[in-house]
Amino acid sequence: MRRSRTLALAAVAATAALVVSGCSSSAKGGSGGSGSAAGGGANAATIGFVNQSDHKGGTVTYEMKGTPDSLDPGNTYYAYIWNFSRLYARALTTFQPGPGSAGDKLVPDMASGLGQVSDNGLTWTYHIRPGQKYSDGTPITTQDIKYAVERSNFAPTVNSNGPTYFQELLVDNPTPYQGPYVDKSASGLQSIQTPDATTIVFHLKQPFADFDYLVSSPQTAPVPQSQDDGAGYVKHIVSSGSYKFQSYDDGKDAVLVPNTNWDPSTDPLRKQLADKIVLKMNIDQNTIDQDLIAGNAQVDLVGGGVDPQTQAKLLLDSKLKAQTDNALGGRLAYMALNTKVAPLDNVDCRKAVEYAVDKVSAQTAQGGPIRGAVATSVLPPDIPGYQNINPYATPNNNGDDAKAKQELAACGHPDGFTTTITARSERDTEVAAATSIQAALAKVGIKLNIQQYPQGKYFSDYAGVPSFTDSNDVGMIMMQWAADWPSGYGFLQQIVDGRSIKASGNSNLSQLDDPAVNKLIDDAGSNTDPAAREKDYAAIDAQVMNDAVIVPLTDVKVFNYRPAEDTNMVATSAYDGEYDYLNIGTTK
């Protein structure tokens, strides 16, 4: 049985204070180079590839706590699945493996080049590499990519987990398009055209400068319509990548083997090193950590960092510490305040919460400074548009009860109120942070009931379902968020744009619909001047903080362990500081 969480976290914080200076490098803070770090060392994977090798053979085992939202590339929104899915699902573009900011470099994947822009930024054209085949040997066509976008963005009752960028940006049909499961017409969404089997054309409502980034999403990984049965597709995914599914047991495991119809001449990025890739689900985090240290697993799929007790052990053992990486990845831990649940529909009540939270206590609950600095704004420091603002400053970031009580009086609740806060049950540090917030808010009369829900259903059934949160008095929601791509738009739009609110799989947990924010998002998206876009992102950040709908907690850093036998290990900002999963091999 584990020790008390409080004792474990206290030990971590004390240990981190002693050794954090030796683990302070980050993916973004590294050199950005892409050389090999050979034998490794602490933070070696944040500045280069560790054990770079083309060695073939062996089994690479991934383990994860809980289950993913889905392995279906068109129905997922966890960064670790976007990362992992590239093994079996090729998008039009992707990120080149590399350390830190070098991993943010966008390159063609299924496409032969980046998009060709025309019609004043309203039209984007891509050509795919010829000769690509699915795992069953049938040719991949651009019609399959069109269909993939349609099923992932226009069928929310079937595939609700992913973002809605394409739905918001593409021109709709004269009669609103209802998605391929309802609309059986051959033309489908008319703003996506496929003039031939290797060309796809997207027609936008307004210019969008980041479109090349958008098509790096697994939502552009091709899906053959004849083999899609909606929610059941996850059980028999047809691969376009270097690996294919040998088996899939929902909630238990998945086994991938080399795709014999994958042609390396059409794919300059993948290496197909392992003989087998195994994903084990519902494994306790401490067990994952011990399996990594013992060499019985190669990668923690979620990539959020080791258990607090393991962290303390790693930091105190110089040999083990040399196999760790402490990386930034454009990620924010925060608490969303639901604007549709009273009394948090009153901005002064929300400001009371902003002032009352003890951010140092929340930081300690998440593992101490080594797991991220205290955050005071929505944008993390490694995302364009970041500004050093702190509109709800408190002494030493420990909260200000007096100011909180003033705001409570202003919103008509001088004695406080009661509401519910949610957290993901598999994420012990998230629950611990919610518990620390519960204690801080109790000092000003705000009583919190903590409810835990599984991460695999957190957005599809609970926290991401507005009808559920509103009817169950969920006023506060624990959350971590990272950029879908390395820009302010890729970080902000899905969590603060009122038009992104969905009935299920919602990421705008505050249900913020501020016209000023929405307009700034549109302005930034259509502006081709990077400097002007960054000003818009900074303005969005400031306005969202003024609306007091997000309580920033920490700018997250992950602390991961890499086994000595792993090859091609590199921590990438493109996937939140996780290791890049595209070419991991093993010498075992």
Side-chain angles (χ1 to χ4, degrees), residues 398-410:
N398 292 129
D400 190 325
D401 294 350
K403 285 188 176 180
K405 289 178 179 178
Q406 288 176 6
E407 297 293 347
L408 284 171

Side-chain angles (χ1 to χ4, degrees), residues 92-93 111 113-115 124-128 198-200 202 211-212 215:
L92 282 172
T93 63
L114 297 181
W124 288 74
T125 301
Y126 296 86
H127 303 280
I128 65 171
T198 60
T199 303
I200 186 166
F202 298 91
F211 200 77
D212 274 332
V215 298

Side-chain angles (χ1 to χ4, degrees), residues 37 41-50 99-100 324-325 562 569-572 579:
N43 295 312
T46 70
I47 58 174
F49 289 85
V50 176
T324 63
D325 296 291
R562 54 182 146 77
M569 296 294 280
V570 63
T572 174
Y579 296 117

Side-chain angles (χ1 to χ4, degrees), residues 166-181:
F166 286 103
Q167 183 189 73
E168 294 157 20
L169 291 168
L170 294 172
V171 175
D172 203 352
N173 291 352
T175 300
Y177 181 58
Q178 298 299 309
Y181 306 120

